[in-house]
Amino acid sequence: MKNFDYAVAGRLEDAFISDGTAIMPIAGGTELLNWLRLGISAPDRVIDLGGIEGLDGINRDGDRLSIGALATLNAIGEDALVAEHATALADACLKAASAQVRNRATIGGNVLQKTRCAYFRAEEPLPWGCNKRAPGSGCAARDGLNDRHAILGWTDECVAVQPSDPVVALAALDAEVELHGPNGRRTLPVADFHLTPAEAAEAETRMTPGEVIVAYHLPITAGRSSAYVKVRERASYEYALVSAAAALTLDGGTIRQAAIALGSVALKPWRLPMAEAALVGLEPRREAVLSALKAALAEARPLAHNRYKVPLAVNAAARAIVEAGAKA
């Protein structure tokens, strides 16, 4: 592993001071240390953001819930405000990783984690092509072992998926991510924060050089209920095969407004706007919503070994809708 300098940031501005060297911020460190070990990242300097005050808070400000980027997954999952106004996010945080990792992992770092593709997560030198590690070398997963890979938004250059649990819930809850960098602060919808290979060849997010995540902001909507469903091979310390988050507002027992996001199907949380429109006026029952979800997943393009993900995504979304409806 390459040697690097280590510094602790005392204020936010220290995180994006640039002197021409490769600088990497670190928060919980549960993901970055893997990057360093595998050779995915080789910074000259690592700047620890953990000591910056005010970035780990969870607060309500009027009709908005704000969560600092340094808040840990366990802190978010166990917070009363989050449980009340963003149930899907609380569920997603508590279903991520293991209890030990959640005590350290932050919501800022979790959303920025890289794909779990085994061809990508290999130690250097790579014995196969991976365009994310070596642009132009090819995608070994395209015609290789791709049972956990994308069914939406992929290209021949990359078929990986974004593995974060919280980002799926954030997307369904219409959250915004707040960024701070050399050019000041700005916000973006979480649903548009990540980029698929079809949207950008190499960039994975819309962050610009020097920017760091400082917070997430979620609207508090009266009468809205939400749920998160994670389908995985074991109940703990496992990434999703498919996940789904649903946020519903009901009116007299039928859906007045719906937001649905899928996870582990693309390199970004995948909203289903066609299904969301079709669900209006329906009861939040499995039999009532299945046809709308199946129609929305007609755009899926499964690979050789992951065709199972299409019905799995439909059923996960249906279950999330039913669970959200039951909480209304």
Side-chain angles (χ1 to χ4, degrees), residues 25 50 60 106 142 168 181 187 216 219 251 269 274 285 291 308:
R60 177 174 181 173
T106 66
R142 174 64 180 86
V168 182
T187 58
Y216 300 90
D251 184 3
M274 187 172 76
R285 294 183 297 106
S291 60
Y308 74 94

Side-chain angles (χ1 to χ4, degrees), residues 226-229 244-248 260-261 314-326:
S226 63
Y228 178 74
V229 170
L248 305 179
I260 313 294
V314 169
N315 287 309
R319 190 168 133 205
I321 292 168
V322 172
E323 291 187 7

Side-chain angles (χ1 to χ4, degrees), residues 177 192 236:
V177 56
D192 297 329
S236 179

Side-chain angles (χ1 to χ4, degrees), residues 25-33 48-50 69-70 72 101 103-110:
I26 186 172
T30 58
E31 172 73 327
L32 179 58
L33 294 179
D48 192 336
L49 308 183
L70 292 183
T72 66
V101 172
N103 278 332
R104 183 67 183 171
T106 66
I107 187 73
N110 179 274

Side-chain angles (χ1 to χ4, degrees), residues 120 135 167 182 197 211 265 275 298 304:
F120 173 81
V167 77
E211 284 188 318
V265 297

Side-chain angles (χ1 to χ4, degrees), residues 248 253 255 279 282-290 318 321-322 325:
L248 305 179
I255 298 171
L279 290 173
L282 302 180
E283 295 180 359
R285 294 183 297 106
R286 174 182 167 78
E287 297 77 11
V289 303
L290 271 180
I321 292 168
V322 172

Side-chain angles (χ1 to χ4, degrees), residues 2-306:
K2 173 185 172 181
N3 290 335
F4 55 84
D5 295 331
Y6 173 80
V8 177
R11 57 197 182 103
L12 189 57
E13 288 73 18
D14 296 336
F16 44 79
I17 292 175
S18 178
D19 58 4
T21 58
I23 297 175
M24 178 69 70
I26 186 172
T30 58
E31 172 73 327
L32 179 58
L33 294 179
N34 287 322
W35 298 355
L36 298 177
R37 177 178 60 83
L38 295 172
I40 293 171
S41 180
D44 297 314
R45 183 184 307 166
V46 170
I47 298 182
D48 192 336
L49 308 183
I52 301 177
E53 294 185 4
L55 291 188
D56 61 351
I58 303 173
N59 304 290
R60 177 174 181 173
D61 183 11
D63 60 357
R64 188 173 77 164
L65 180 65
S66 295
I67 301 174
L70 292 183
T72 66
L73 299 189
N74 267 347
I76 296 168
E78 296 169 357
D79 186 84
L81 280 174
V82 180
E84 179 182 0
H85 299 294
T87 309
L89 179 59
D91 290 346
C93 287
L94 293 180
K95 289 176 179 175
S98 66
Q100 295 91 334
V101 172
R102 292 194 301 269
N103 278 332
R104 183 67 183 171
T106 66
I107 187 73
N110 179 274
V111 167
L112 291 175
Q113 67 181 293
K114 295 184 182 294
T115 179
R116 310 309 298 188
C117 173
Y119 296 103
F120 173 81
R121 295 256 174 181
E123 293 186 16
E124 291 188 328
L126 296 185
W128 43 64
C130 176
N131 286 319
K132 284 198 169 299
R133 295 284 297 275
S137 64
C139 174
R142 174 64 180 86
D143 297 309
L145 298 176
N146 50 38
D147 56 301
R148 289 176 170 264
H149 290 67
I151 58 173
L152 293 160
W154 60 267
T155 67
D156 287 338
E157 282 66 48
C158 183
V159 297
V161 299
Q162 166 56 232
S164 170
D165 290 298
V167 77
V168 182
L170 288 167
L173 293 167
D174 293 320
E176 292 186 328
V177 56
E178 181 180 353
L179 307 172
H180 194 185
N183 296 319
R185 293 182 183 245
R186 65 185 180 118
T187 58
L188 294 170
V190 169
D192 297 329
F193 178 65
H194 289 92
L195 297 167
T196 66
E199 294 171 319
E202 296 182 24
E204 296 183 356
T205 72
R206 298 186 188 276
M207 293 177 72
T208 58
E211 284 188 318
V212 295
I213 297 175
V214 294
Y216 300 90
H217 305 293
L218 296 76
I220 295 176
T221 304
R224 183 178 68 175
S225 58
S226 63
Y228 178 74
V229 170
K230 180 176 184 178
V231 183
R232 48 186 166 172
E233 292 183 342
R234 60 187 181 194
S236 179
Y237 204 38
E238 179 65 285
Y239 292 93
L241 297 171
V242 166
S243 64
L248 305 179
T249 304
L250 302 187
D251 184 3
T254 61
I255 298 171
R256 178 160 56 88
Q257 189 174 32
I260 313 294
L262 298 177
S264 293
V265 297
L267 258 180
K268 65 189 295 182
W270 199 271
R271 286 284 294 261
L272 298 176
M274 187 172 76
E276 293 169 4
L279 290 173
V280 174
L282 302 180
E283 295 180 359
R285 294 183 297 106
R286 174 182 167 78
E287 297 77 11
V289 303
L290 271 180
S291 60
L293 295 171
K294 289 178 180 178
L297 266 294
E299 65 174 333
R301 295 183 298 130
L303 297 160
H305 305 295
N306 69 356

